[in-house]
Amino acid sequence: MAQINLTPELRGAIDAQTAAFRADNDLPSVVLAVGAGSELAHVSAAADPAEPTPTADTVFRIASMTKSFTAAAVLQLRDHDLLRLDDPVASHVPELAGLAGPTTDSPPITIRHLLSMAGGMASDDPWGDRLLDADSATMDGLLRAGAAFATAPGGFSYSNFGYAMLGRVVTNVAGRPFQHVITDRLLIPLGLTDTTWTAPPVGPVAPPYWRVDDALTLEPVLGDGAFAAMGGLWSTVRDLTRWCGWMLDAFPPRDDPDDPILSRSSRREMQQVANALPPRVTSTDTGTRVSAGGYGFGLNVVVDSHLGRLVHHSGGLPGYGSHMAWLPERAVAAVALANSRYAPVSYTHLRAHETDSYLVCRLLLE
C-alpha cells in the first residue's frame, strides 16, 4: 500500500475545501475519495442540507469514465487473439462497411483509432449522451448512416459514437452483449460488486438533479442501451478506487506473477499516450507548469512538470459529474462523484495542482 501522510490537519483541510466546492457550485452532493493503491485513505463528502450526505458506498452514474472499462475489454479480446487493434472496425461490425473518412486519402478507421479518439469523428457529447439508452435497431441505423467528421482519421476528436462502436465490436467478437462481457470479465473478477449497468433498486443511490430557477429538479434516468459502452456504468468511490488501484498496480514493470484478468503490460498500454495533443504552458502564483500528453485507450495521459505522469478521465451526463485521477509514480489516486447535471467535478482535481491542501496529487509533493 502506498504511504500518504494525511495528517489530521490535512484531512480537515480536504473536508473544508470539499464543502466549499459543493457550496460554490451549488451541488446537491459530492463525495471524494483519496486512494493509496487500491485502499481508501480518506473519504470526504458534503451535501445540501436537504439532501443525504453520500458515503464511499453511495452509487452515482459515472458516465464517460466507463470508457476505460470498454477499452480494457477490447484489450482482453486482443490479448486472446480474437482481434487486432489495427483491424478496420468494419471487419467486426458489418453495418460499418460503408464507413469512410472525409477525404479520399483517409485511412480505414481501425479499432486503435477509436480507442485513442483518433477516428476523426466530430465531438458529439450532448447528442451521444441522449442516445445512451438507444436500442440495437436504432444503433444499427446510425452505424449504416456513417458519421460526421471533424478531421481525417489520425487527428484528435473526442467521440462518444466511436466508443459506442467499440461496444458493438466487443459484442460481435465475444458473441454476447458488451455489458455481460465487461461484468463477467472485469467487474466480477475485480470485486467491483457495486459497479453495474443499471442503478441498484435498493441501497444508497444519489438521485440525478439539475437546478431550474434555483430549485432542484430530478432528471430522467437514461437507460442501459446500445450506446452504454461510452458512458453507462454506475459505481461508487470505493469501487472506483479499486479500479484506479488496479491500473496503478501495472507499474512498475517487474517479474512478479501477472494478472490473468488483464496483463500489466496491457494496462500500461492503456496509460500511454496513443494520440498526442499540443503541450501546455501555464503560469500562476505557484510558478510555471509545463504539461504534455494526449489520449491513451479510454484514459487521458499527461506528463506534468510538477507531478510527473498523471492519468485521468472525467464523466458527465444529465444528473451527474465525475472524475478520477492517479499518479503512477506515487501509487496514489483520487475519485470524485457528484449528482448534478454535468457537475464540474474535474475542477476538484485541477485545483489539486495549485493548492497545498486539496486532494492527494498536490499533497504528495510536500
Side-chain angles (χ1 to χ4, degrees):
M1 177 176 173
Q3 298 299 312
I4 310 175
N5 184 25
L6 288 177
T7 65
E9 292 77 15
L10 288 176
R11 291 174 189 269
I14 291 171
D15 293 343
Q17 207 150 4
T18 299
F21 176 79
R22 188 214 67 78
D24 291 346
N25 290 277
D26 208 13
L27 301 175
S29 70
V30 61
V31 58
L32 180 146
V34 175
S38 297
E39 302 298 322
L40 288 174
H42 184 64
V43 177
S44 180
D48 183 280
E51 295 294 313
T53 301
T55 72
D57 300 307
T58 301
V59 174
F60 293 74
R61 200 78 179 265
I62 68 169
S64 285
M65 286 159 56
T66 303
K67 289 180 172 68
S68 60
F69 293 83
T70 298
V74 171
L75 290 188
Q76 282 183 328
L77 294 172
R78 187 277 308 272
D79 291 352
H80 285 86
D81 296 324
L82 296 174
L83 57 77
R84 297 176 302 167
L85 298 192
D86 293 317
D87 288 343
V89 65
S91 67
H92 298 288
V93 183
E95 292 83 2
L96 289 172
L99 181 66
T103 61
T104 57
D105 62 355
S106 293
I109 298 170
T110 66
I111 292 171
R112 188 186 303 276
H113 283 139
L114 299 184
L115 284 169
S116 60
M117 298 297 179
M121 291 173 285
S123 294
D124 55 6
D125 285 349
W127 175 82
D129 293 347
R130 284 153 183 80
L131 281 167
L132 193 65
D133 56 359
D135 60 22
S136 293
T138 299
M139 188 170 179
D140 288 347
L142 290 168
L143 293 171
R144 283 191 288 266
F149 288 86
T151 183
F156 179 84
S157 184
Y158 188 90
S159 174
N160 286 304
F161 194 19
Y163 263 74
M165 291 178 184
L166 289 173
R168 181 59 66 89
V169 169
V170 172
T171 294
N172 289 353
V173 172
R176 55 199 183 111
F178 64 83
Q179 292 96 328
H180 296 178
V181 176
I182 291 172
T183 297
D184 294 345
R185 298 182 64 170
L186 288 169
L187 305 182
I188 292 174
L190 289 170
L192 306 182
T193 55
D194 291 322
T195 304
T196 57
W197 294 98
T198 57
V202 296
V205 180
Y209 284 119
W210 68 313
R211 287 197 179 269
V212 180
D213 297 328
D214 295 326
L216 284 177
T217 302
L218 283 171
E219 296 260 26
V221 176
L222 297 169
D224 170 35
F227 263 65
M230 66 86 173
L233 282 172
W234 301 74
S235 192
T236 66
V237 295
R238 187 185 302 278
D239 269 14
L240 290 168
T241 297
R242 291 175 183 153
W243 178 250
C244 297
W246 188 59
M247 289 293 166
L248 286 166
D249 184 62
F251 299 94
R254 56 195 185 274
D255 293 326
D256 297 352
D258 215 336
D259 192 324
I261 300 172
L262 187 65
S263 68
R264 289 192 296 272
S265 63
S266 289
R267 280 176 279 154
R268 290 194 298 272
E269 188 177 4
M270 291 177 62
Q271 301 173 72
Q272 295 168 350
V273 174
N275 191 356
L277 294 173
R280 296 179 58 191
V281 179
T282 56
S283 295
T284 68
D285 55 5
T286 62
T288 299
R289 166 173 283 111
V290 180
S291 62
Y295 206 80
F297 293 161
L299 293 165
N300 295 286
V301 184
V302 175
V303 179
D304 182 273
S305 59
H306 290 194
L307 297 171
R309 185 193 299 267
L310 171 69
V311 184
H312 66 99
H313 211 289
S314 61
L317 278 172
Y320 295 101
S322 56
H323 198 74
M324 60 183 178
W326 58 89
L327 297 169
E329 283 77 19
R330 297 176 173 89
V332 174
V335 179
L337 304 174
N339 61 327
S340 181
R341 176 183 285 197
Y342 301 107
V345 183
S346 61
Y347 179 63
T348 64
H349 291 275
L350 295 176
R351 288 193 65 178
H353 299 177
E354 306 300 339
T355 69
D356 290 334
S357 63
Y358 193 64
L359 215 54
V360 70
C361 298
R362 179 65 181 171
L363 296 178
L364 288 172
L365 299 181
E366 301 304 318

